[in-house]
């Protein structure tokens, strides 16, 4: 029962605070008291939670928060609870990796139906981890023969300077998030074995030039930091029987000022091409600490205010320039008229 209601009844308290009910568990039976509509919703939520636990799954606080948020926004309980049961892969530690939000489910479905998928969204929406999980699942089901995971080696707004070691050690910090996800899903020993046998390659984006990847699941992470030419180079590496997933957050571009992001531009270039899908995740798909969602929303509001302020400033500048130009034009006309008058007087 603790797996359903949470450690120290955390899940129970979340449900009670969201709905007008009280939940009491006695002798492995859960009693719900309150207003009828809320009682029915909570009862259905608990039935799905029990089913997940009985099938060997686990439920976290973030899962409960998402379920509550989805139901309160009008989504049916059954649809919202799909995220607790649609397992992509089981990790080495026995944990089930599932798409937990509606956006994540659309992301997984897009990858299943298309050979090239772009997942764009803010931090914490599971873009990279789900891509890695789907890649590992495809490898385990022998749908592909190897995984190729790449990232552009771009510093996040700061200069790291000279890095010691050989070339692999220099680029390792940029690729570390990909290794972390692999270790979490496959376990350290199996992951190392796959890396040694080149069944899995984790490489900087620049190392892909001149290569063709057949029968592969290819993941490009942090794609917002690719240039347009780098994006073209990556997309033309796909060989027969391959699938590619490109992930990124277009609000966190670390390219030099004036350099266009390949991820931003590719939306205009490939829109509407069969076999290519664009999935947009939002703050509703954030599954990290609850504060991350608030941070994302706060930054979006701030950026929108900044854009409006810049537009107002630009309009004011244009208005001033127009007024100045009009004054100069008027002054010039007066000088011309005065000159003509002087010519006439001189001629008389």
């Amino acid at each position: 029962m603790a797996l359903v209601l949470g450690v120290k009844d955390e899940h129970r308290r979340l449900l009670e605070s969201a709905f007008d009910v009280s939940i009491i568990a006695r002798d492995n039976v859960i009693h719900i008291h309150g207003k009828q509509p809320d009682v029915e919703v909570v009862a259905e939520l608990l039935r799905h939670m029990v089913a997940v636990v009985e099938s060997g799954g686990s439920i976290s606080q973030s899962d409960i928060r998402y379920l509550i948020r989805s139901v309160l926004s009008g989504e049916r309980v059954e649809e919202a609870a799909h995220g607790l049961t649609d397992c992509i892969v089981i990790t080495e530690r026995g944990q089930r990796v599932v798409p937990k939000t509606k956006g994540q489910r659309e992301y997984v479905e897009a990858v299943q139906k298309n050979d090239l998928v772009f997942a764009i969204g803010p931090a914490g929406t599971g873009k990279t981890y789900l891509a890695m999980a789907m890649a590992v699942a495809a490898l385990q089901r022998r749908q592909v023969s190897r995984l190729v995971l790449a990232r552009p080696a771009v510093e996040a707004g700061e200069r790291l300077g000279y890095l010691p070691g050989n070339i692999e050690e220099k680029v390792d910090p940029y690729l570390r998030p990909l290794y972390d996800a692999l270790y979490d899903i496959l376990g350290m020993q199996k992951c190392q074995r796959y890396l040694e046998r080149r069944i899995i390659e984790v490489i900087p984006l620049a190392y892909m030039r001149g290569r063709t990847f057949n029968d592969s699941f290819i993941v490009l992470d942090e794609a917002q930091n690719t240039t347009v030419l780098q994006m073209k180079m990556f997309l033309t590496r796909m060989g027969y029987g391959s699938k590619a997933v490109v992930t990124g957050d277009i609000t966190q571009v670390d390219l030099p000022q004036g350099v266009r992001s390949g991820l931003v531009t590719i939306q205009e270039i490939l829109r509407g091409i069969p076999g290519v899908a664009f999935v947009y995740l939002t703050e509703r798909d954030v599954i990290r600490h609850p504060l991350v969602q608030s941070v994302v929303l706060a930054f979006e509001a701030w950026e929108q205010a900044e854009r409006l302020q810049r537009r107002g400033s630009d309009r004011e500048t244009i208005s001033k320039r127009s007024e100045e130009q009009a004054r100069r034009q008027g002054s010039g006309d007066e000088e011309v008229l005065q000159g003509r008058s002087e010519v006439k007087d001189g001629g008389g």
Side-chain angles (χ1 to χ4, degrees):
M1 194 60 67
L3 294 175
V4 176
L5 297 180
V7 179
K8 297 181 180 179
D9 286 346
E10 292 169 339
H11 300 168
R12 177 184 63 80
R13 286 199 297 272
L14 285 171
L15 290 170
E16 288 180 339
S17 64
F19 301 97
D20 189 11
V21 298
S22 62
I23 302 171
I24 302 171
R26 289 177 185 160
D27 301 325
N28 286 331
V29 177
I30 299 176
H31 301 271
I32 308 169
H33 303 279
K35 294 182 179 179
Q36 192 60 27
D38 285 359
V39 168
E40 291 176 356
V41 169
V42 172
E44 191 173 355
L45 283 171
L46 286 169
R47 277 195 291 270
H48 285 287
M49 292 162 62
V50 169
V52 170
V53 171
E54 289 179 344
S55 64
S58 60
I59 302 170
S60 66
Q61 286 190 58
S62 62
D63 294 333
I64 303 301
R65 289 193 182 93
Y66 172 74
L67 288 173
I68 292 171
R69 194 165 64 245
S70 300
V71 171
L72 292 179
S73 64
E75 190 172 350
R76 292 188 301 110
V77 173
E78 185 177 0
E79 185 178 350
H82 275 314
L84 300 177
T85 56
D86 297 339
C87 181
I88 300 172
V89 70
I90 298 176
T91 70
E92 189 70 12
R93 293 180 294 172
Q95 295 180 337
R96 297 152 56 91
V97 179
V98 297
K100 297 184 177 181
T101 70
K102 184 178 180 181
Q104 288 184 351
R105 291 197 296 276
E106 292 174 353
Y107 176 23
V108 172
E109 290 171 4
V111 173
Q112 292 170 346
K113 296 176 181 177
N114 300 275
D115 286 337
L116 176 58
V117 175
F118 294 86
I120 301 172
T125 51
K127 303 181 300 294
T128 303
Y129 194 84
L130 284 177
M132 304 288 277
M134 288 185 282
V136 171
L139 183 66
Q140 292 177 343
R141 294 167 189 157
R142 299 190 178 182
Q143 295 171 346
V144 295
S145 60
R146 65 172 168 171
L147 309 184
V148 181
L149 316 172
R151 257 190 171 207
V154 176
E155 296 165 356
E158 54 187 325
R159 299 282 183 182
L160 298 180
Y162 174 77
L163 295 174
N166 57 32
I167 189 64
E168 285 77 16
E169 291 169 333
K170 291 178 188 294
V171 300
D172 183 73
Y174 300 102
L175 305 176
R176 181 51 47 189
L178 300 180
Y179 285 111
D180 291 342
L182 280 176
Y183 292 151
D184 189 58
I185 297 170
L186 286 172
M188 182 75 74
Q189 292 184 349
K190 185 180 289 186
C191 183
Q192 287 294 343
R193 188 164 65 249
Y194 284 170
L195 289 167
E196 290 169 3
R197 294 166 58 187
R198 298 284 182 174
I199 294 174
I200 298 178
E201 284 190 65
V202 183
I203 55 178
L205 176 61
Y207 284 24
M208 299 183 77
R209 186 174 296 278
R211 300 181 65 184
T212 301
F213 299 98
N214 295 315
D215 196 28
S216 304
F217 196 116
I218 313 166
V219 177
L220 174 61
D221 190 34
E222 293 291 311
Q224 76 274 6
N225 290 328
T226 63
T227 64
V228 176
L229 290 178
Q230 285 176 326
M231 179 63 75
K232 179 183 177 182
M233 182 273 291
F234 169 79
L235 295 177
T236 53
R237 299 308 95 198
M238 289 179 66
Y240 291 108
S242 291
K243 185 184 289 283
V245 176
V246 180
T247 70
D249 178 1
I250 57 177
T251 67
Q252 296 192 43
V253 178
D254 299 311
L255 294 171
Q257 190 172 4
V259 178
R260 296 185 70 185
S261 167
L263 185 59
V264 173
T265 307
I266 204 66
Q267 298 174 71
E268 305 170 14
I269 298 173
L270 297 186
R271 180 77 64 189
I273 294 181
V276 179
F278 288 88
V279 179
Y280 296 93
L281 302 171
T282 68
E283 75 283 347
R284 291 192 62 189
D285 301 300
V286 172
I287 53 174
R288 288 181 182 169
H289 191 285
L291 278 176
V292 174
Q293 186 179 33
S294 301
V295 169
V296 170
L297 286 171
F299 266 97
E300 285 182 356
W302 176 77
E303 288 167 357
Q304 186 175 4
E306 285 283 302
R307 284 194 295 270
L308 291 173
Q309 186 175 356
R310 280 197 298 270
R311 285 176 188 168
S313 178
D314 291 342
R315 286 181 187 140
E316 186 177 347
T317 301
I318 292 170
S319 178
K320 287 181 179 178
R321 286 177 180 173
S322 299
E323 290 174 4
E324 181 66 25
Q325 190 174 3
R327 280 197 298 269
R328 288 177 182 175
Q329 185 72 32
S331 176
D333 291 344
E334 288 176 5
E335 290 177 2
V336 170
L337 290 172
Q338 185 178 355
R340 287 177 180 172
S341 176
E342 290 174 356
V343 169
K344 287 180 181 179
D345 292 345

